[in-house]
Amino acid sequence: NAGVTQTPKFRILKIGQSMTLQCTQDMNHNYMYWYRQDPGMGLKLIYYSVGAGITDKGEVPNGYNVSRSTTEDFPLRLELAAPSQTSVYFCASSYSGQGTSDTQYFGPGTRLTVL
Amino acid sequence: KQEVTQIPAALSVPEGENLVLNCSFTDSAIYNLQWFRQDPGKGLTSLLLIQSSQREQTSGRLNASLDKSSGRSTLYIAASQPGDSATYLCAVSGGGRDDKIIFGKGTRLHILP
């Protein structure tokens, strides 16, 4: 049972490049989330999904896109990378939504730098 | 808009001392509150989750309390150890259909051997 896995661990992009951050969970969780964490700050929700085929915007969705074609995978796409997207990105999953006693399980993060 | 504040931003205490970390939130209409631990370069690990109907939760040397009416939570760590050094994040979840969770900026804790 690997939990939540994220790839890559590190990436450097040039301004205007595109990339996809991968996230996979093997716990059969319905809910999945993408957060970004800037230095010295808390986590901010980018997008989330309550199940396969369903996604919704979080607090800071601009510049990102997501898809959820399977229960296990929730990739995050950056289309035109900007320096403001330099951050650490965390994927998380939970069986139920946040209004329950269910906790979220986090991946190890992807550290992205845009130059 | 819900805002979560954690004070202090950083804390250093000698090993063996008991300590308290504070968290406050502006909107008391929450479903639950969680305390997470984050080690440098790592993801988050959930420590304790308190439902809005609960007053506290305990796990080992950790005790978290919730006073929803005043918008406050505390995380009490007993007999601190160097291995407790990490950043501790507080997060609240709104009620109803709101599946969004709001995080504080964290308290960076350093236990001095």
Side-chain angles (χ1 to χ4, degrees):
Chain A
N1 191 333
V4 180
T5 57
Q6 292 182 239
T7 58
K9 289 188 173 152
F10 303 93
R11 185 71 186 269
I12 298 175
L13 284 181
K14 294 182 179 178
I15 294 173
Q17 285 187 320
S18 300
M19 78 163 294
T20 299
L21 282 67
Q22 301 291 345
C23 175
T24 300
Q25 54 90 10
D26 62 359
M27 297 173 282
N28 201 32
H29 284 169
N30 295 314
Y31 288 69
M32 295 188 75
Y33 313 85
W34 273 107
Y35 296 92
R36 60 176 287 172
Q37 185 178 34
D38 298 323
M41 304 292 285
L43 279 69
K44 291 188 183 294
L45 183 64
I46 304 171
Y47 270 97
Y48 67 103
S49 169
V50 302
I54 306 170
T55 62
D56 207 348
K57 295 178 180 179
E59 188 179 358
V60 289
N62 292 343
Y64 306 95
N65 279 300
V66 294
S67 60
R68 184 95 182 270
S69 57
T70 67
T71 299
E72 295 79 19
D73 301 305
F74 190 40
L76 177 71
R77 178 105 180 134
L78 283 70
E79 291 293 350
L80 291 171
S84 61
Q85 293 177 306
T86 294
S87 189
V88 181
Y89 292 83
F90 289 102
C91 179
S93 72
S94 63
Y95 186 72
S96 302
Q98 297 179 38
T100 69
S101 60
D102 218 13
T103 190
Q104 292 185 5
Y105 294 84
F106 281 78
T110 293
R111 188 175 298 273
L112 176 67
T113 301
V114 182
L115 300 175
Chain B
K1 180 184 175 184
Q2 180 73 275
E3 292 183 2
V4 179
T5 304
Q6 290 187 247
I7 295 173
L11 181 65
S12 293
V13 299
E15 180 180 1
E17 284 198 4
N18 303 325
L19 60 98
V20 174
L21 307 180
N22 297 294
C23 172
S24 62
F25 46 95
T26 54
D27 188 341
S28 62
I30 64 170
Y31 248 4
N32 61 50
L33 181 144
Q34 292 188 70
W35 282 94
F36 291 87
R37 170 185 173 135
Q38 184 176 27
D39 294 291
K42 306 285 187 182
L44 279 67
T45 301
S46 179
L47 298 172
L48 292 164
L49 184 150
I50 311 176
Q51 296 280 49
S52 62
S53 58
Q54 298 174 323
R55 298 283 295 184
E56 64 178 353
Q57 284 285 338
T58 299
S59 176
R61 293 182 295 107
L62 305 179
N63 176 276
S65 68
L66 174 64
D67 184 342
K68 205 172 72 160
S69 61
S70 67
R72 294 182 181 181
S73 175
T74 61
L75 178 66
Y76 175 83
I77 302 177
S80 58
Q81 304 171 357
D84 294 331
S85 297
T87 296
Y88 290 81
L89 292 136
C90 169
V92 299
S93 171
R97 289 186 155 190
D98 188 351
D99 283 318
K100 299 180 181 59
I101 185 169
I102 306 296
F103 283 84
K105 295 180 181 180
T107 294
R108 197 167 55 254
L109 176 65
H110 182 50
I111 305 300
L112 305 167

